[in-house]
Amino acid sequence: MTGPHDARPAAHGLLQQVLDALLQGQVSEAKALCEAAIASHHDDGETWFALGRVAMHERAYGDAARAFGRSLELHANPWACVYRALSLWELDEFEAALAQARMVVDVAPDFAEAHSTLALALHGLGHSLEAEAHARAAEILNPDAQFVVGELASILAHLDQLDEAEVLFRRAAKLAPSFPHYRMISFCRPLWDQISGDSSHALDAPQVVYAKGGSDGFGFVVMSCCDSVYLRKYGASFANSFAQNAARENLLHLHVLDPDDQFADYLSWLVGHIDLPRFRITTERSPLKKNADRVTRTTYYSCGRFMQMSRLLTDYGRPIVCFDIDATLQAPVQRLIEHTHGKDLGLIQREPPDSPWLDVVANIVVANPTAQSSRYFELVRNYVQYFMHRGKLFWHLDQIALYCVLKMMGRYAMAPQVAWIKTELRKTLWHIGQSYGDKMKDERYSRYVLGDADAPH
C-alpha cells in the first residue's frame, strides 16, 4: 500500500477515542473500547468501523474486511468502502478490492480517497492508464492528502513520467514528514551526475577472516550479509541450507558488518559445524557512527550486501546470488543461475506493483559478472551513500536504491538487462523477515537448525 493511509472521516465519540489510542500505540486499549461498545451497541455502524481500523492497525486484514463489511450493512459509509477495499487488497483478493473501489467511486464521485484507492487497485492489476486518470482526479479533489499525492507519484514513476513523479514525491514528503520513504526517492539529473561521476564512494576491501577451498573450480557464489547478531541467530541455518541445496562445486560467502566481541568464538563454532568444500567469511567496519540508532544500523546492514557487490563481481568473475540471511534455501540455486543466464541481473518485481520502496524486492538478487551489472551495483552503492551522508537512512532504502538506479540508468545511460525472477523460482528461498519470527517454527526453517546449544551467543 502506497504510504500510510492517514486520511480519515470526521472523527468523534468512540471513533475519535480509538484513533487517539492507536496514535499513542495503545492498541489493546483501542480494541477493548470497540469490543465493549459492540457488546452494548451491536448494530452501530461506526463501532464496527472503529473495530475495522483497529484490525487494520494490527494487520489482521481478514478481521478488518469483515468489520468494515458489517459497518456497511448498518450504515452507508464511503469510508468503510474505501477501507474494506484496502483490506481486501492486502488479502490478495485483488478483483474483489477493485470491485469495492469501483462501487465507492460510483456512489461518491467527488470522494478523492475513493478515486485514489481505485487507482491503487487498477495500477496493481496492470490498468495503468485508467489508474493514472483516477489518481489525477483524486489529486484535483484533494491535493493536500499525502496518500492521494503519493499514489499518483508511484503510478507516474511506474509509467516513467519521472520528473512529475519526483515533484509529487517531494510534495508527499512535506505532507507526511513522519513517513521517510518519499524523501529517499529521486530520479533527477543532478543526483545522477553526483552518483555516476564521483569515484570517491568506493569502500575499502573487506577483511578475509576465513577461507576454505581455492579460487578456481566452482560455478557460482551464494552470498549473504549481516551483522554479528543476525549471524548468530540465522547464520548456521542458512549455511546448512546452502550445504544441502547449493554446495556442490559452488562457494558460500558470508560478509559480516561490525563484528562484535563474540564474533571470533562464533566463527570458530560455525566452521567447525558446517563442513563446506568452499567457504569464505569476510568482515568490514561500517561507516556508521558509534551512537547510530537502531533504525540507521538495521537500514545500513540491509544495504550492506550491495555495497561490496561490484568488487566481489571483479574478484570472483562468476555469478553471485545474494540472499537475506534470515532465510533458508529450499531448492537448487542452479535454477536461478539458469533463469538469469545471458542477462546482467536477476531481480524480483513485486506483484502486484505498488511503490518505489516495494516494487523491487531485495531478498533475492542475482548479479552476473558483466560490465553493466558491476556498474549498476556501483551506482546502487553510491545512491545509498548519498542519503547516508545526509542522515536519511530508513528502512527500504536498499529496495529504493535498486529501483531508482534502474530507472536512472534507463534514462541517462544504458540500463542493465534484467531477468525478472518468476514466482515459482522465488520458492528457492524461505524468508522469515524481521517481523515474523514465528516462521522459525516452520518445517522449511526448522529442518536446517543445528543443535546449537553449545554455540556462543
Side-chain angles (χ1 to χ4, degrees), residues 83-95:
Y83 278 107
R84 185 167 188 270
L86 294 171
S87 301
L88 292 169
W89 189 257
E90 294 293 341
L91 292 168
D92 293 346
E93 296 182 24
F94 303 128
E95 293 295 340

Side-chain angles (χ1 to χ4, degrees), residues 9 30 85 93 120 140 163 186 203 224 247 262 306 317 321 362 382 406:
E93 296 182 24
L120 180 149
I140 291 170
D163 288 333
S186 183
L203 301 172
S224 192
Q262 298 161 282
F306 306 126
V321 188
N382 297 352
L406 199 60

